[in-house]
Amino acid sequence: MIAGATMQGLRESQPDFDPGLTLLPQAGHGFSGEPAIALPGFSNFEPVDVETRPDRLVVTYRDEGRHLLLRTRWEMLPSGLLSSAAEIENAGRIAIPLEWLAALSLPLPDWAGEALQVHGHWGAEFQLAGTRLQTRKVEKVNRTGRSGFDGAHYAIAHEGWANETVGKVVAAHLAWSGNCRSFIETLPTGERQLQMGEWLAPGEIILRPGERYSSPEALLVCSEAGFNGVRSAFHAEARTRQRASEIGTGPRKVHFNSWEAVYFDLDEKRLFALAQASAAIGAERFVLDDGWFKGRRDDHSSLGDWFVDLERFPRGLTPLIEHVASLGMDFGLWVEPEMVSADSDLYRSHPDWCLHAGAYRPTQRHQLVLDLTRADVREHLWQLLDTLLRNHGIAYLKWDHNRDLFPAISGGESAAHRQTLGFYEVVDRLRALHPRVEIESCASGGGRVDFGMMTRAARFWASDNTDAVERLRIQRAMSLFYPLQMIGSHVGAAPNPTTGRSLDMAFRARVAMFAHFGVEADPEELSDHDRATLKAHAALYKKWRGLLHSGDTFYGSCADPDITIMTVSAPDRSQALTLVARATQSGAAIAPAIHIPGLNPTWRYRVSLLEPWPEAARKRFTDPAFWERQPVIDGATLGDIGVQLHVVRPETAWLIHLAAVPQTAE
C-alpha cells in the first residue's frame, strides 16, 4: 500500500505541496476546476494556520470579507486509510447559505486514467462499470435521502491494467448514510481531481451567525496491490471500528430468516414448526420477518403500529421466543421504524408526523417516511423500540428502510441532512441501552450500506436477490469495502424468487458461506438430499467462520472471467480457504489453471478439496486419488503456476483448504 504511512509521506509524494492547492482546489489557488467549497458570490479563503503531526494535518483558512473560518482535516489511520473531513464556521453577523463543501478534495496522479463506478438497482446491487477518464467530469449524485444503489458514496480510479492482484488503485468512500455527491474531473490541461461530500439541496444548510457545518468523513486508500489492496485497508478499518464499538464481537451466527419461507402467511403453529426445521439444519438465530405486528397482512398497511398482532399471536411473541430458545437459537425481529403507512393508527393520530410538503404526500410501496427531524417523533419511535426490546428476548433487529425520501421536506425546509442525523440519534440511543442487540442494516436490499453505519450495524444485507449466481458478483464488488462478516448472504429457495433460477444446493450454500451465512429457503420443502447438503454446509461454515471472518480476503484473476477465485487467508498465512466457482457453461473443454492468491510463496501447503466434490467434476478427474491424498504444494506454485481443476460445467463450486506444513512434512 502507498501511504508513506504518515502525512510527511503525503507531502514528500507531492513536491509542490501547498495546503491551498492540494487540500482546497478552487479559483485563486491555481486550479481551474470545480472548487471544493461553493457559497453565493466570490470566496477568498486564505490559509492562516497549519497544525501538523506525524499522522495528522489540519489547515485553517479564513475569508476575511465574510468572516468565515474553514478547517480541513487529514489523518492517516493505522489501517492504511486516509481520513478527510472539512468544517466551516460563520464568525460573522449575517446568515450565509452553503451550497457545497467537499469532505475530500484531492488531485489525482497521472496514472489514474480509468474509473470504476458503482451502480445498481433493487435485486442487482453493487454493479461495477468502467470508464476512461477523459476531459470531462465523471459524477455520481445521490438524492434519495439514504446511501442507495447509485454508488455516489464510492469513487474508484486506477491505472488501466490494474486487476485484483496488481496495479495502482485509488478508492474513496463517504461515511454517511444520507445524500452524497462524488466526481472525478479531468481538465484540458491534464489536471485531474477527486471530490466527495454530502449533496445539499438548495437552502438546506444556512449558516447563521455562530453556526458550523461539519462534513461527513471521507475515507481513501491508494493501493499498489490492485483491488485486493483496497480490500485490505477498508476491511482492517471496518473491523477496528466495530471492535471499538463492541458490535458483532462474537461468532456470526447461522441465520434463518422467515421471509421467503412464509412471507406474510404467519401463525404460531407454522412458525413453531419452521423454527424446529431450521434448528435441525444448524441455524443459530431465528429471524421473524415482516407481518408480525398489528393488522399487517400485506405491504399496504400498519407500518408504525409496532405492537404484536394478537389475532395472529394470541399469547404474544413470548411463546415463540421461548420455543426458539429451547432449540438453542436466539430470536431476531424485522422492523421498519422510520416508515408509516397511511392506513395505520399512528398516521391517523398524527398525520403531520411524516415528511411532506403541504398536501403533497406521495407514497412509495404504500408508505410514507416519519419526520425524524422532529424531537417528538424521535422520542415516540425510541420509546416504541425500547419497549419492544425490554418486553421480549430479542437479540437482533433486521432494520429495514424500503423507500426513498421524497419530499425530503419538514416545516417547509429541506430535511435530508437533519433526517439522517435524527436516524443516527434514535439508533445510538437504542444501542446505548441495548448494546447486546445486534442490528442489521437492510434498505430495500443493499441500500444504506456505508461506513456511517459501521458503528451502528453488525451486518449489511447485500441484496434481496439470494440467487447464488448474482451473489457471486454482488459480494465480490461489495467486498471492496466491507469484510465478509458484515455481508449477509443466505441460501435461497429454488426456483429463486427473484430470478427464477434453480441452482444446485451445494453451489448455493458455498457462495453463501463466504459471507455471513444464513438460510431463506424453507427446510421442510427441501428434498432429503438438499436438506442434508444444506446441513453439512452450515456445519462447514461454523467450522471455518473464525478464519473467514478474521482472515484477509483476496480475489484472484483468471484467464476465464466467468470463474470466481476467492481466498480468505489467515493473517499469518498459516492456512486459507478458497472458493472456486463458475455459474455458466465454459466455452472450452478444459478450464484454465486456477491461481490461488493470498499464500506465502515460500511455504508449502497441504491442499484438501473439501467434500462434497462437484459430481460432474469428480467423474472427469483422470487421477482423483492424487487429490484424495491431499498433496503438499508450495505457495509459489499454487499462486504463479496454479492447479488444474474441473471448473467447466455450470454450478460448479470447489472448496479448497490449504494448511501450511513444516518443511520436513510430506
Side-chain angles (χ1 to χ4, degrees):
M1 236 158 284
I2 301 175
T6 64
M7 291 308 303
Q8 183 63 30
L10 178 63
R11 288 174 177 269
E12 291 171 352
S13 70
Q14 300 184 58
D16 300 327
F17 184 88
D18 163 54
L21 172 62
T22 304
L23 302 183
L24 190 69
Q26 59 179 307
H29 284 163
F31 192 93
S32 56
E34 179 170 335
I37 180 169
L39 298 155
F42 178 75
S43 299
N44 186 28
F45 285 97
E46 296 292 341
V48 294
D49 184 65
V50 178
E51 173 195 339
T52 60
R53 297 185 213 161
D55 59 353
R56 181 181 170 93
L57 173 66
V58 178
V59 183
T60 301
Y61 305 84
R62 185 175 182 89
D63 182 334
E64 292 288 353
R66 291 195 285 186
H67 305 289
L68 292 171
L69 290 174
L70 176 68
R71 295 178 186 88
T72 59
R73 176 193 58 78
W74 294 73
E75 184 173 358
M76 187 63 70
L77 305 176
S79 62
L81 290 184
L82 188 65
S83 171
S84 171
E87 179 184 79
I88 187 168
E89 177 183 352
N90 185 353
R93 297 182 178 179
I94 61 172
I96 299 176
L98 178 65
E99 299 172 7
W100 167 248
L101 179 62
L104 170 68
S105 180
L106 185 71
L108 291 179
D110 294 341
W111 52 257
E114 304 278 341
L116 273 182
Q117 289 187 299
V118 181
H119 66 104
H121 55 85
W122 177 86
E125 296 89 335
F126 284 94
Q127 299 183 58
L128 298 176
T131 184
R132 183 162 182 77
L133 293 172
Q134 299 172 324
T135 307
R136 61 190 176 95
K137 184 183 291 182
V138 176
E139 184 171 20
K140 284 279 190 178
V141 179
N142 171 50
R143 304 180 183 88
T144 66
R146 63 179 185 186
S147 49
F149 308 133
D150 51 35
H153 288 68
Y154 309 94
I156 304 170
H158 60 93
E159 54 187 346
W161 53 275
N163 61 25
E164 299 286 7
T165 58
V166 297
K168 297 177 183 177
V169 183
V170 174
H173 169 64
L174 191 72
W176 175 245
S177 305
N179 290 332
C180 177
R181 176 183 180 229
S182 62
F183 65 83
I184 299 174
E185 182 182 22
T186 304
L187 302 182
T189 59
E191 295 172 284
R192 189 174 291 136
Q193 67 162 330
L194 164 65
Q195 286 193 34
M196 175 176 280
E198 181 185 10
W199 181 81
L200 301 172
E204 184 166 8
I205 299 294
I206 297 177
L207 292 170
R208 295 174 175 82
E211 290 185 342
R212 301 178 181 183
Y213 166 80
S214 297
S215 78
E217 178 190 28
L219 298 167
L220 176 137
V221 66
C222 187
S223 164
E224 289 184 323
F227 298 109
N228 284 332
V230 174
R231 291 184 176 93
S232 177
F234 274 97
H235 291 192
E237 186 61 31
R239 288 166 173 166
T240 296
R241 295 186 182 206
Q242 288 214 322
R243 281 194 299 269
S245 302
E246 297 184 348
I247 289 180
T249 54
R252 300 300 168 101
K253 296 186 175 183
V254 176
H255 278 213
F256 178 83
N257 186 278
S258 71
W259 180 244
E260 288 185 12
V262 295
Y263 295 102
F264 287 108
D265 188 13
L266 306 179
D267 63 63
E268 187 177 276
K269 181 179 179 181
R270 186 171 187 185
L271 291 173
F272 268 55
L274 196 59
Q276 189 87 33
S278 53
I281 61 169
E284 300 165 296
R285 172 172 289 155
F286 183 88
V287 181
L288 178 59
D289 211 289
D290 198 355
W292 60 270
F293 48 99
K294 181 182 176 184
R296 185 73 160 178
R297 297 297 182 271
D298 54 35
D299 63 358
H300 287 66
S301 73
S302 304
L303 291 173
D305 299 340
W306 301 108
F307 307 97
V308 179
D309 191 317
L310 295 180
E311 289 185 12
R312 284 183 157 170
F313 303 98
R315 301 184 295 164
L317 287 179
T318 299
L320 175 60
I321 295 172
E322 291 177 347
H323 177 63
V324 166
S326 73
L327 296 169
M329 299 184 291
D330 62 27
F331 184 79
L333 196 64
W334 178 92
V335 291
E336 195 174 0
E338 297 148 89
M339 302 297 153
V340 62
S341 301
D343 182 7
S344 68
D345 292 344
L346 179 63
Y347 186 76
R348 284 185 282 271
S349 299
H350 300 283
D352 287 341
W353 274 17
C354 68
L355 294 174
H356 63 282
Y360 182 56
R361 301 177 181 218
T363 60
Q364 186 180 34
R365 295 186 80 251
H366 317 290
Q367 60 196 57
L368 298 158
V369 184
L370 287 175
D371 184 353
L372 298 190
T373 72
R374 296 178 52 146
D376 53 352
V377 175
R378 296 195 301 273
E379 180 66 23
H380 170 83
L381 187 56
W382 177 81
Q383 286 188 7
L384 277 179
L385 294 171
D386 178 57
T387 300
L388 187 67
L389 294 178
R390 286 183 185 277
N391 292 343
H392 299 88
I394 298 171
Y396 170 88
L397 288 177
K398 181 180 178 181
W399 190 304
D400 217 335
H401 186 297
N402 273 312
R403 63 154 289 178
D404 299 336
L405 272 61
F406 63 89
I409 300 294
S410 175
E413 298 181 350
S414 296
H417 175 80
R418 292 180 290 137
Q419 180 80 3
T420 302
L421 294 179
F423 161 68
Y424 283 166
E425 179 186 313
V426 172
V427 177
D428 292 346
R429 188 177 176 189
L430 197 67
R431 282 205 67 250
L433 284 179
H434 305 277
R436 295 186 179 180
V437 175
E438 292 187 12
I439 294 175
E440 174 181 60
S441 180
C442 171
S444 301
R448 198 148 70 184
V449 175
D450 59 76
F451 265 66
M453 294 298 298
M454 191 63 63
T455 56
R456 299 175 169 96
R459 188 182 203 246
F460 292 133
W461 183 232
S463 177
D464 286 342
N465 189 344
T466 56
D467 184 308
V469 172
E470 300 302 315
R471 280 306 192 101
L472 280 173
R473 177 193 55 74
I474 291 170
Q475 290 166 206
R476 181 176 192 150
M478 192 173 176
S479 75
L480 282 170
F481 297 90
Y482 306 101
L484 304 191
Q485 70 266 27
M486 293 203 67
I487 302 174
S489 184
H490 291 179
V491 177
N496 186 270
T498 302
T499 66
R501 254 192 300 247
S502 292
L503 298 170
D504 175 73
M505 175 55 77
F507 183 80
R508 284 180 273 163
R510 292 185 171 195
V511 173
M513 272 183 61
F514 279 73
H516 182 174
F517 183 84
V519 178
E520 206 89 7
D522 185 348
E524 295 183 297
E525 294 186 358
L526 299 176
S527 68
D528 291 343
H529 175 270
D530 279 359
R531 194 180 303 111
T533 301
L534 180 55
K535 182 177 180 179
H537 282 85
L540 275 175
Y541 167 78
K542 293 175 186 177
K543 179 177 181 179
W544 297 115
R545 62 184 163 194
L547 170 61
L548 290 168
H549 297 162
S550 66
D552 301 322
T553 300
F554 300 90
Y555 274 84
S557 297
C558 185
D560 185 338
D562 289 333
I563 294 177
T564 296
I565 306 171
M566 178 187 183
T567 293
V568 181
S569 187
D572 63 0
R573 303 299 180 258
S574 60
Q575 64 171 333
L577 195 65
T578 295
L579 171 70
V580 179
R582 78 169 307 128
T584 58
Q585 178 69 37
S586 173
I590 300 176
I594 302 302
H595 303 272
I596 299 178
L599 305 177
N600 186 323
T602 66
W603 290 1
R604 304 174 75 207
Y605 291 86
R606 188 171 301 281
V607 182
S608 304
L609 303 185
L610 302 184
E611 294 282 358
W613 291 6
E615 284 301 320
R618 182 191 294 271
K619 296 174 183 177
R620 285 167 172 77
F621 268 139
T622 56
D623 186 10
F626 172 78
W627 293 107
E628 290 169 351
R629 289 194 298 269
Q630 300 180 353
V632 175
I633 306 173
D634 64 84
T637 298
L638 291 166
D640 297 336
I641 299 174
V643 295
Q644 203 72 47
L645 293 177
H646 288 279
V647 196
V648 174
R649 295 283 297 275
E651 302 175 46
T652 297
W654 290 97
L655 283 180
I656 308 171
H657 181 250
L658 304 111
V661 297
Q663 292 293 330
T664 57
E666 293 296 334

